Amino acid sequence: MAHDVMPFVRPAAEVLETSPWQIDDAEGTRALPEVLPDWDPQTDLALRRRVAVEYHQALAACRLPVGTPLLLTVDWHSSAAHLAGSAFRHIVVEPTELTVRVTLSGADLGGTLVLKTRLVLADDVPDPDRTRPFSPRHAGEILCEETAEVHLEGIASRFPTSVIDFKLRGFDEDARWAVDIPDDPSVPAAGGVRLYLNASDTELVTAATRAAAPTPLQRHLLDAMYDDVARQLVEACLRPAWHEALLDAAEEPGSLAESLIIVVSNLFQGESLEAIAARRDSDPSVFATALQGALRRTRREKS
């Protein structure tokens, strides 16, 4: 495996000591899992962890002058939303131990969230000609870093949700939800599909706002909605006009096509779109029960 070769010496990884990320949500405080199956994009993601920096050891290993300021940062990247940013910055000029707290807007997230905790040079080193050979010199040069990932899954995490007046938008005023699926599957997954909730349906809207910790009755309502959304997405994947476009765009990270292919593959255990479409066309009733059963099994596996 190829490794990056830095143009300057770096300290041992132990100078940046990190505890596992913790998540604070409706379920309380717990270790951040690899997968958040019921993540709600309308809810912010609150995370924290303990970090210790062996400041003097880092300077000595990098051959930096005494008193050189370092910077502890947390940067993030969301694959489906194609967004990135800095969530935390703290100047380090002495041995340091602190709790890092970050809050990320749910509207900016989707797919795989990557968190990078880094120790970097805070400023350019003054008079670089007098620095020792192979020492870092420029602000932002990374001395060490640690990476964590969490997969934000579930139907609700793949696209934004809005509460609207159905009558004003031309939807049946007694309908509970509506799904807007674009004509082009190559669009970004984060904004390509939209789920609309009927503002007059207070029962559904309340359930959606409590999606991270719903009551049993709210869970049944949300499951019914997500199953219907999944059915519509699967049917969209099987459109003849979508077939080539879907496969062409499936390799593009963060695309709607990539997200839909993952959904269909998980539901039908890697079966090809052609085979799934053939099953649907040969006996729609049997196919409908197969999809219903696959959705139920997927839900059972995640519970």
Side-chain angles (χ1 to χ4, degrees):
M1 178 182 292
H3 296 278
D4 292 334
V5 178
M6 304 302 294
F8 52 83
V9 291
R10 303 175 76 183
E14 289 74 19
V15 304
L16 180 65
E17 183 179 339
T18 59
S19 69
W21 281 105
Q22 302 283 311
I23 180 173
D24 298 315
D25 60 14
E27 297 182 29
T29 299
R30 66 190 192 284
L32 182 67
E34 294 183 359
V35 178
L36 286 174
D38 295 317
W39 176 77
D40 179 4
Q42 298 187 80
T43 302
D44 291 344
L45 195 61
L47 305 171
R48 59 188 172 91
R49 77 186 320 181
R50 293 293 296 173
V51 176
V53 178
E54 294 293 342
Y55 173 73
H56 297 305
Q57 185 179 336
L59 293 191
C62 294
R63 306 173 183 175
L64 289 167
V66 174
T68 299
L70 305 180
L71 182 66
L72 179 66
T73 70
V74 176
D75 299 321
W76 62 272
H77 174 263
S78 171
S79 66
H82 291 292
L83 294 175
S86 178
F88 180 88
R89 296 168 66 86
H90 180 83
I91 292 290
V92 178
V93 292
E94 61 183 354
T96 299
E97 183 173 354
L98 75 166
T99 298
V100 173
R101 300 179 187 275
V102 302
T103 300
L104 303 178
S105 172
D108 294 335
L109 307 180
T112 299
L113 172 65
V114 179
L115 297 160
K116 290 184 179 292
T117 304
R118 290 169 166 157
L119 186 65
V120 307
L121 202 58
D123 299 307
D124 290 344
V125 176
D127 198 3
D129 291 337
R130 299 183 60 184
T131 59
R132 299 179 66 181
F134 305 109
S135 295
R137 300 182 178 184
H138 303 293
E141 289 183 328
I142 300 171
L143 307 187
C144 50
E145 71 177 11
E146 186 273 347
T147 301
E149 293 186 1
V150 56
H151 302 285
L152 308 172
E153 293 189 352
I155 295 297
S157 72
R158 300 184 186 276
F159 40 79
T161 303
S162 301
V163 179
I164 65 171
D165 186 323
F166 268 32
K167 190 173 182 179
L168 291 179
R169 286 295 299 269
F171 295 130
D172 190 304
E173 59 185 292
D174 290 323
R176 311 197 80 167
W177 58 80
V179 186
D180 183 19
I181 302 175
D183 295 328
D184 182 5
S186 66
V187 300
V193 175
R194 293 199 69 91
L195 174 63
Y196 297 108
L197 308 183
N198 191 341
S200 67
D201 191 336
T202 55
E203 183 182 22
L204 176 61
V205 173
T206 300
T209 59
R210 290 178 46 87
T215 66
L217 287 177
Q218 289 170 338
R219 168 53 60 200
H220 286 308
L221 177 57
L222 292 174
D223 286 345
M225 179 177 69
Y226 295 154
D227 283 359
D228 182 61
V229 171
R231 179 191 59 76
Q232 294 188 54
L233 292 175
V234 170
E235 288 293 340
C237 288
L238 302 181
R239 296 173 184 168
W242 260 35
H243 185 261
E244 288 189 13
L246 193 68
L247 296 180
D248 289 343
E251 298 301 320
E252 186 171 339
S255 68
L256 175 60
E258 179 197 43
S259 186
L260 292 180
I261 288 291
I262 291 172
V263 170
V264 175
S265 180
N266 288 342
L267 288 173
F268 293 97
Q269 301 181 337
E271 195 172 348
S272 70
L273 289 178
E274 293 88 345
I276 297 170
R279 289 174 58 189
R280 189 271 314 270
D281 294 340
S282 65
D283 197 328
S285 297
V286 171
F287 176 77
T289 63
L291 176 56
Q292 183 185 134
L295 288 166
R296 189 176 183 187
R297 284 189 292 274
T298 299
R299 205 163 44 241
R300 187 185 302 137
E301 291 168 1
K302 291 180 178 180
S303 62

PDB file of all heavy atoms in Angstrom, residues 99-122:
ATOM      1  N   THR A  99     -11.875  18.638  26.658  1.00  0.00           N
ATOM      2  CA  THR A  99     -13.007  17.990  25.997  1.00  0.00           C
ATOM      3  C   THR A  99     -13.343  18.776  24.744  1.00  0.00           C
ATOM      4  O   THR A  99     -13.638  19.976  24.816  1.00  0.00           O
ATOM      5  CB  THR A  99     -14.239  17.936  26.921  1.00  0.00           C
ATOM      6  OG1 THR A  99     -13.929  17.147  28.076  1.00  0.00           O
ATOM      7  CG2 THR A  99     -15.424  17.296  26.201  1.00  0.00           C
ATOM      8  N   VAL A 100     -13.301  18.116  23.607  1.00  0.00           N
ATOM      9  CA  VAL A 100     -13.664  18.720  22.329  1.00  0.00           C
ATOM     10  C   VAL A 100     -15.141  18.471  22.091  1.00  0.00           C
ATOM     11  O   VAL A 100     -15.593  17.329  22.110  1.00  0.00           O
ATOM     12  CB  VAL A 100     -12.831  18.122  21.177  1.00  0.00           C
ATOM     13  CG1 VAL A 100     -13.329  18.622  19.828  1.00  0.00           C
ATOM     14  CG2 VAL A 100     -11.360  18.452  21.353  1.00  0.00           C
ATOM     15  N   ARG A 101     -15.884  19.536  21.860  1.00  0.00           N
ATOM     16  CA  ARG A 101     -17.322  19.429  21.586  1.00  0.00           C
ATOM     17  C   ARG A 101     -17.608  20.038  20.221  1.00  0.00           C
ATOM     18  O   ARG A 101     -17.173  21.167  19.947  1.00  0.00           O
ATOM     19  CB  ARG A 101     -18.148  20.149  22.654  1.00  0.00           C
ATOM     20  CG  ARG A 101     -17.939  19.601  24.064  1.00  0.00           C
ATOM     21  CD  ARG A 101     -18.761  20.385  25.081  1.00  0.00           C
ATOM     22  NE  ARG A 101     -18.454  19.987  26.449  1.00  0.00           N
ATOM     23  CZ  ARG A 101     -19.015  18.965  27.087  1.00  0.00           C
ATOM     24  NH1 ARG A 101     -19.957  18.267  26.466  1.00  0.00           N
ATOM     25  NH2 ARG A 101     -18.675  18.644  28.307  1.00  0.00           N
ATOM     26  N   VAL A 102     -18.320  19.308  19.387  1.00  0.00           N
ATOM     27  CA  VAL A 102     -18.697  19.828  18.077  1.00  0.00           C
ATOM     28  C   VAL A 102     -20.182  19.565  17.854  1.00  0.00           C
ATOM     29  O   VAL A 102     -20.722  18.552  18.304  1.00  0.00           O
ATOM     30  CB  VAL A 102     -17.871  19.199  16.933  1.00  0.00           C
ATOM     31  CG1 VAL A 102     -16.387  19.432  17.149  1.00  0.00           C
ATOM     32  CG2 VAL A 102     -18.147  17.709  16.798  1.00  0.00           C
ATOM     33  N   THR A 103     -20.838  20.490  17.163  1.00  0.00           N
ATOM     34  CA  THR A 103     -22.236  20.333  16.770  1.00  0.00           C
ATOM     35  C   THR A 103     -22.337  20.597  15.284  1.00  0.00           C
ATOM     36  O   THR A 103     -21.953  21.676  14.815  1.00  0.00           O
ATOM     37  CB  THR A 103     -23.148  21.309  17.531  1.00  0.00           C
ATOM     38  OG1 THR A 103     -23.035  21.058  18.945  1.00  0.00           O
ATOM     39  CG2 THR A 103     -24.601  21.112  17.121  1.00  0.00           C
ATOM     40  N   LEU A 104     -22.823  19.607  14.544  1.00  0.00           N
ATOM     41  CA  LEU A 104     -22.929  19.705  13.089  1.00  0.00           C
ATOM     42  C   LEU A 104     -24.398  19.765  12.694  1.00  0.00           C
ATOM     43  O   LEU A 104     -25.225  19.024  13.223  1.00  0.00           O
ATOM     44  CB  LEU A 104     -22.265  18.497  12.422  1.00  0.00           C
ATOM     45  CG  LEU A 104     -20.793  18.269  12.783  1.00  0.00           C
ATOM     46  CD1 LEU A 104     -20.272  17.006  12.100  1.00  0.00           C
ATOM     47  CD2 LEU A 104     -19.950  19.467  12.403  1.00  0.00           C
ATOM     48  N   SER A 105     -24.718  20.648  11.772  1.00  0.00           N
ATOM     49  CA  SER A 105     -26.095  20.796  11.311  1.00  0.00           C
ATOM     50  C   SER A 105     -26.519  19.571  10.504  1.00  0.00           C
ATOM     51  O   SER A 105     -25.834  19.182   9.551  1.00  0.00           O
ATOM     52  CB  SER A 105     -26.226  22.058  10.452  1.00  0.00           C
ATOM     53  OG  SER A 105     -27.492  22.123   9.842  1.00  0.00           O
ATOM     54  N   GLY A 106     -27.639  18.969  10.887  1.00  0.00           N
ATOM     55  CA  GLY A 106     -28.120  17.791  10.179  1.00  0.00           C
ATOM     56  C   GLY A 106     -28.388  18.060   8.717  1.00  0.00           C
ATOM     57  O   GLY A 106     -28.245  17.165   7.874  1.00  0.00           O
ATOM     58  N   ALA A 107     -28.767  19.296   8.379  1.00  0.00           N
ATOM     59  CA  ALA A 107     -29.066  19.634   6.987  1.00  0.00           C
ATOM     60  C   ALA A 107     -27.834  19.569   6.092  1.00  0.00           C
ATOM     61  O   ALA A 107     -27.958  19.476   4.875  1.00  0.00           O
ATOM     62  CB  ALA A 107     -29.679  21.037   6.922  1.00  0.00           C
ATOM     63  N   ASP A 108     -26.632  19.596   6.697  1.00  0.00           N
ATOM     64  CA  ASP A 108     -25.396  19.566   5.916  1.00  0.00           C
ATOM     65  C   ASP A 108     -24.838  18.160   5.742  1.00  0.00           C
ATOM     66  O   ASP A 108     -23.806  17.980   5.080  1.00  0.00           O
ATOM     67  CB  ASP A 108     -24.319  20.427   6.590  1.00  0.00           C
ATOM     68  CG  ASP A 108     -24.661  21.904   6.595  1.00  0.00           C
ATOM     69  OD1 ASP A 108     -25.436  22.313   5.718  1.00  0.00           O
ATOM     70  OD2 ASP A 108     -24.155  22.626   7.465  1.00  0.00           O
ATOM     71  N   LEU A 109     -25.478  17.168   6.345  1.00  0.00           N
ATOM     72  CA  LEU A 109     -24.890  15.832   6.421  1.00  0.00           C
ATOM     73  C   LEU A 109     -25.670  14.816   5.616  1.00  0.00           C
ATOM     74  O   LEU A 109     -26.832  15.014   5.284  1.00  0.00           O
ATOM     75  CB  LEU A 109     -24.824  15.390   7.887  1.00  0.00           C
ATOM     76  CG  LEU A 109     -24.148  16.352   8.859  1.00  0.00           C
ATOM     77  CD1 LEU A 109     -24.169  15.782  10.267  1.00  0.00           C
ATOM     78  CD2 LEU A 109     -22.720  16.665   8.428  1.00  0.00           C
ATOM     79  N   GLY A 110     -24.996  13.699   5.337  1.00  0.00           N
ATOM     80  CA  GLY A 110     -25.617  12.590   4.621  1.00  0.00           C
ATOM     81  C   GLY A 110     -24.543  11.624   4.153  1.00  0.00           C
ATOM     82  O   GLY A 110     -23.385  11.998   3.959  1.00  0.00           O
ATOM     83  N   GLY A 111     -24.934  10.356   4.004  1.00  0.00           N
ATOM     84  CA  GLY A 111     -23.965   9.360   3.538  1.00  0.00           C
ATOM     85  C   GLY A 111     -22.958   9.032   4.629  1.00  0.00           C
ATOM     86  O   GLY A 111     -23.319   8.699   5.758  1.00  0.00           O
ATOM     87  N   THR A 112     -21.670   9.148   4.312  1.00  0.00           N
ATOM     88  CA  THR A 112     -20.603   8.879   5.275  1.00  0.00           C
ATOM     89  C   THR A 112     -20.032  10.191   5.795  1.00  0.00           C
ATOM     90  O   THR A 112     -19.624  11.056   5.017  1.00  0.00           O
ATOM     91  CB  THR A 112     -19.475   8.056   4.635  1.00  0.00           C
ATOM     92  OG1 THR A 112     -20.001   6.801   4.201  1.00  0.00           O
ATOM     93  CG2 THR A 112     -18.357   7.794   5.645  1.00  0.00           C
ATOM     94  N   LEU A 113     -20.021  10.336   7.106  1.00  0.00           N
ATOM     95  CA  LEU A 113     -19.430  11.506   7.751  1.00  0.00           C
ATOM     96  C   LEU A 113     -18.032  11.137   8.221  1.00  0.00           C
ATOM     97  O   LEU A 113     -17.850  10.178   8.968  1.00  0.00           O
ATOM     98  CB  LEU A 113     -20.282  11.954   8.933  1.00  0.00           C
ATOM     99  CG  LEU A 113     -19.684  13.066   9.812  1.00  0.00           C
ATOM    100  CD1 LEU A 113     -19.547  14.359   9.023  1.00  0.00           C
ATOM    101  CD2 LEU A 113     -20.538  13.271  11.061  1.00  0.00           C
ATOM    102  N   VAL A 114     -17.041  11.902   7.755  1.00  0.00           N
ATOM    103  CA  VAL A 114     -15.649  11.683   8.135  1.00  0.00           C
ATOM    104  C   VAL A 114     -15.219  12.817   9.055  1.00  0.00           C
ATOM    105  O   VAL A 114     -15.376  13.998   8.715  1.00  0.00           O
ATOM    106  CB  VAL A 114     -14.731  11.630   6.905  1.00  0.00           C
ATOM    107  CG1 VAL A 114     -13.276  11.424   7.334  1.00  0.00           C
ATOM    108  CG2 VAL A 114     -15.168  10.512   5.966  1.00  0.00           C
ATOM    109  N   LEU A 115     -14.666  12.466  10.209  1.00  0.00           N
ATOM    110  CA  LEU A 115     -14.179  13.438  11.185  1.00  0.00           C
ATOM    111  C   LEU A 115     -12.670  13.267  11.326  1.00  0.00           C
ATOM    112  O   LEU A 115     -12.192  12.166  11.616  1.00  0.00           O
ATOM    113  CB  LEU A 115     -14.843  13.227  12.543  1.00  0.00           C
ATOM    114  CG  LEU A 115     -16.363  13.414  12.601  1.00  0.00           C
ATOM    115  CD1 LEU A 115     -16.926  12.720  13.827  1.00  0.00           C
ATOM    116  CD2 LEU A 115     -16.710  14.895  12.623  1.00  0.00           C
ATOM    117  N   LYS A 116     -11.918  14.353  11.131  1.00  0.00           N
ATOM    118  CA  LYS A 116     -10.465  14.311  11.256  1.00  0.00           C
ATOM    119  C   LYS A 116     -10.028  15.227  12.391  1.00  0.00           C
ATOM    120  O   LYS A 116     -10.243  16.442  12.338  1.00  0.00           O
ATOM    121  CB  LYS A 116      -9.798  14.738   9.947  1.00  0.00           C
ATOM    122  CG  LYS A 116      -9.963  13.730   8.812  1.00  0.00           C
ATOM    123  CD  LYS A 116      -9.200  14.165   7.571  1.00  0.00           C
ATOM    124  CE  LYS A 116      -9.353  13.158   6.444  1.00  0.00           C
ATOM    125  NZ  LYS A 116      -8.681  11.882   6.727  1.00  0.00           N
ATOM    126  N   THR A 117      -9.439  14.641  13.418  1.00  0.00           N
ATOM    127  CA  THR A 117      -8.857  15.396  14.521  1.00  0.00           C
ATOM    128  C   THR A 117      -7.372  15.568  14.220  1.00  0.00           C
ATOM    129  O   THR A 117      -6.647  14.573  14.065  1.00  0.00           O
ATOM    130  CB  THR A 117      -9.054  14.673  15.857  1.00  0.00           C
ATOM    131  OG1 THR A 117     -10.458  14.436  16.065  1.00  0.00           O
ATOM    132  CG2 THR A 117      -8.502  15.486  17.008  1.00  0.00           C
ATOM    133  N   ARG A 118      -6.925  16.823  14.130  1.00  0.00           N
ATOM    134  CA  ARG A 118      -5.567  17.086  13.660  1.00  0.00           C
ATOM    135  C   ARG A 118      -4.799  18.008  14.615  1.00  0.00           C
ATOM    136  O   ARG A 118      -5.392  18.882  15.255  1.00  0.00           O
ATOM    137  CB  ARG A 118      -5.600  17.749  12.280  1.00  0.00           C
ATOM    138  CG  ARG A 118      -6.045  16.834  11.151  1.00  0.00           C
ATOM    139  CD  ARG A 118      -6.304  17.617   9.897  1.00  0.00           C
ATOM    140  NE  ARG A 118      -6.404  16.757   8.723  1.00  0.00           N
ATOM    141  CZ  ARG A 118      -7.034  17.079   7.605  1.00  0.00           C
ATOM    142  NH1 ARG A 118      -7.625  18.271   7.504  1.00  0.00           N
ATOM    143  NH2 ARG A 118      -7.076  16.258   6.587  1.00  0.00           N
ATOM    144  N   LEU A 119      -3.497  17.810  14.646  1.00  0.00           N
ATOM    145  CA  LEU A 119      -2.580  18.740  15.296  1.00  0.00           C
ATOM    146  C   LEU A 119      -1.733  19.337  14.182  1.00  0.00           C
ATOM    147  O   LEU A 119      -1.026  18.604  13.476  1.00  0.00           O
ATOM    148  CB  LEU A 119      -1.699  18.021  16.322  1.00  0.00           C
ATOM    149  CG  LEU A 119      -0.799  18.918  17.182  1.00  0.00           C
ATOM    150  CD1 LEU A 119      -1.644  19.830  18.073  1.00  0.00           C
ATOM    151  CD2 LEU A 119       0.152  18.076  18.027  1.00  0.00           C
ATOM    152  N   VAL A 120      -1.839  20.653  14.000  1.00  0.00           N
ATOM    153  CA  VAL A 120      -1.161  21.308  12.877  1.00  0.00           C
ATOM    154  C   VAL A 120      -0.336  22.471  13.387  1.00  0.00           C
ATOM    155  O   VAL A 120      -0.484  22.937  14.524  1.00  0.00           O
ATOM    156  CB  VAL A 120      -2.179  21.810  11.822  1.00  0.00           C
ATOM    157  CG1 VAL A 120      -3.102  20.681  11.392  1.00  0.00           C
ATOM    158  CG2 VAL A 120      -2.991  22.984  12.347  1.00  0.00           C
ATOM    159  N   LEU A 121       0.546  22.963  12.536  1.00  0.00           N
ATOM    160  CA  LEU A 121       1.322  24.155  12.843  1.00  0.00           C
ATOM    161  C   LEU A 121       0.394  25.364  12.751  1.00  0.00           C
ATOM    162  O   LEU A 121      -0.287  25.564  11.742  1.00  0.00           O
ATOM    163  CB  LEU A 121       2.473  24.281  11.845  1.00  0.00           C
ATOM    164  CG  LEU A 121       3.678  25.127  12.247  1.00  0.00           C
ATOM    165  CD1 LEU A 121       4.300  24.596  13.545  1.00  0.00           C
ATOM    166  CD2 LEU A 121       4.722  25.127  11.138  1.00  0.00           C
ATOM    167  N   ALA A 122       0.344  26.187  13.813  1.00  0.00           N
ATOM    168  CA  ALA A 122      -0.618  27.283  13.858  1.00  0.00           C
ATOM    169  C   ALA A 122      -0.209  28.454  12.983  1.00  0.00           C
ATOM    170  O   ALA A 122      -1.064  29.101  12.366  1.00  0.00           O
ATOM    171  CB  ALA A 122      -0.804  27.760  15.296  1.00  0.00           C
TER     172      ALA A 122
END
